[in-house]
Amino acid sequence: MNSQPFPFFDDMNEWHLRLQTGLATRHEDFHIFRYEDVMTNLVNETPYYKDAFFHVTFATSMDATLTVNDKRFDCRQGGLFFFIAPEQLIHWKRGDEQWKGFVMLIKPRFITYSIQGSQLLKDLMLFEREGINVLQVSKENEPGFADLFEKILFEYYNDQPLKFEIIRAYLKIIFIQAQRISLSGALVKASKTSSDIVYNFQALVNKFFHQKKALYEYAQALHVDEKYLQQVIKKETGKTPTAFIKDRILLEAKCLLLHTDLDVSSIAFELNFDEPSNFMRFFKGREKLTPSAYRKAAGKI
């Protein structure tokens, strides 16, 4: 686990230990549990942390506020589906009421174990380019999703042959049905070749934006021509790849300003800017505020 600047969980059992769920995973790449089964011990508030998992949360009742990166969600309305990608900054704080629902922690390789699973993630894009997608589930759809999660839970805790293949099949049904009810309009299937490049590019940016800021570095990692990468990303997303890189750096800067006490110079060096003045120029150019003014406006000073 990396202690700078946020805790990072690569191991699911470390995550369970820190959040005091009282659970341990039976598979290093997958775990599922009911909220009702962990509420007795669960921490009242998590640290701001990142991890290496997809989070799929279906909450029929959840008295909490959830923060993902720079977005805050009031979860008390219930019937919410959260799809959170790896490498995002997560924090939640409990209220007084009991929660009901399910959580799945999924390492990317659990889904991409097969070619079909890999393509499913790229085609559906449930986890969004910004790292999170939130769906409101109607009362009439809640029982169907709850039944699917119960079936996965049953398979997980029963030692039958090929149980994880069955779990992957149920996951596919959940993902496809979730896309059906999405009202965001963002879950659009792109052409196969282009969506592969877009998906892989975004995954690389999320993972390496600290170190890699030049477009050619991503083109080399993806084994494509820099000009071609520029064209594909712009065509499929409406944004240039350079804008994606800068947006991800800006998002991390906001997270550090909002959720740590690091001074502006320390944040600049954390993000691998040569000089704090370069970071301040970068931030003000995109937010029209200095980093200190942004922090003050958010009530951090």
Side-chain angles (χ1 to χ4, degrees):
M1 185 173 66
N2 185 3
S3 60
Q4 294 292 337
F6 301 109
F8 183 87
F9 301 100
D10 185 63
D11 183 280
M12 290 182 185
N13 286 325
E14 286 185 5
W15 185 92
H16 282 301
L17 186 64
R18 185 65 178 267
L19 272 61
Q20 299 177 15
T21 66
L23 302 176
T25 183
R26 293 188 170 198
H27 190 295
E28 63 180 357
D29 296 335
F30 180 84
H31 190 68
I32 181 172
F33 60 92
R34 294 187 196 90
Y35 277 131
E36 298 94 310
D37 296 335
V38 302
M39 293 303 295
T40 302
N41 299 317
L42 194 65
V43 294
N44 289 322
E45 183 174 3
T46 67
Y48 285 90
Y49 70 91
K50 296 184 179 185
D51 59 38
F53 329 128
F54 289 107
H55 290 246
V56 179
T57 298
F58 176 54
T60 55
S61 174
M62 186 179 183
D63 183 8
T65 54
L66 170 70
T67 302
V68 181
N69 298 322
D70 62 339
K71 297 180 177 68
R72 180 167 292 179
F73 303 92
D74 184 340
C75 306
R76 290 173 294 180
Q77 63 200 82
L80 292 176
F81 234 138
F82 290 93
F83 297 87
I84 305 175
E87 309 284 344
Q88 310 307 309
L89 184 64
I90 299 172
H91 168 269
W92 49 256
K93 185 175 182 179
R94 291 174 57 178
D96 296 328
E97 300 298 323
Q98 291 293 301
W99 299 0
K100 293 182 179 179
F102 304 85
V103 178
M104 290 188 292
L105 308 176
I106 311 168
K107 284 278 189 82
R109 63 191 177 198
F110 184 82
I111 303 175
T112 59
Y113 173 80
S114 67
I115 294 174
Q116 293 89 344
S118 177
Q119 194 59 43
L120 181 69
L121 274 181
K122 297 168 187 175
D123 284 350
L124 298 187
M125 293 189 177
L126 272 169
F127 296 88
E128 288 283 6
R129 296 184 174 98
E130 285 75 27
I132 181 169
N133 191 358
V134 182
L135 306 179
Q136 180 72 56
V137 179
S138 67
K139 288 293 184 183
E140 64 184 20
N141 284 325
E142 280 188 17
F145 280 113
D147 181 61
L148 286 167
F149 277 90
E150 287 289 355
K151 286 177 178 176
I152 291 175
L153 201 66
F154 176 82
E155 290 293 336
Y156 185 74
Y157 284 103
N158 283 273
D159 296 324
Q160 297 296 319
L162 300 173
K163 67 177 184 178
F164 288 109
E165 291 308 307
I166 293 177
I167 287 173
R168 289 184 179 96
Y170 284 134
L171 277 177
K172 184 174 182 178
I173 295 172
I174 287 173
F175 289 169
I176 292 173
Q177 290 191 350
Q179 171 160 318
R180 282 181 174 179
I181 66 168
S182 172
L183 302 178
S184 69
L187 308 182
V188 179
K189 181 176 177 179
S191 65
K192 181 179 185 303
T193 303
S194 298
S195 66
D196 282 356
I197 293 174
V198 172
Y199 179 86
N200 292 330
F201 170 73
Q202 292 163 348
L204 285 173
V205 170
N206 267 328
K207 194 171 183 65
F208 295 113
F209 69 91
H210 285 87
Q211 301 99 324
K212 301 180 189 294
K213 293 183 170 60
L215 180 57
Y216 77 87
E217 295 178 283
Y218 291 95
Q220 288 178 350
L222 293 168
H223 306 290
V224 298
D225 178 75
E226 188 175 340
K227 185 177 180 180
Y228 178 69
L229 179 60
Q230 178 93 16
Q231 292 172 341
V232 168
I233 301 298
K234 177 68 174 177
K235 178 181 177 181
E236 296 295 337
T237 69
K239 290 170 61 173
T240 67
T242 299
F244 266 108
I245 298 166
K246 289 182 177 179
D247 284 351
R248 187 62 185 86
I249 295 168
L250 180 67
L251 177 59
E252 190 73 4
K254 289 179 178 180
C255 290
L256 291 165
L257 288 164
L258 293 173
H259 307 310
T260 77
D261 294 323
L262 293 173
D263 60 37
V264 172
S265 294
S266 297
I267 291 173
F269 291 123
E270 174 68 28
L271 295 173
N272 281 326
F273 283 86
D274 293 336
E275 297 291 340
S277 59
N278 292 336
F279 167 62
M280 288 187 280
R281 191 178 303 111
F282 165 83
F283 193 94
K284 187 174 182 181
R286 299 183 73 81
E287 281 296 302
K288 312 305 178 188
L289 289 171
T290 65
S292 296
Y294 177 84
R295 178 177 262 171
K296 185 175 183 180
K300 284 290 291 181
I301 297 178

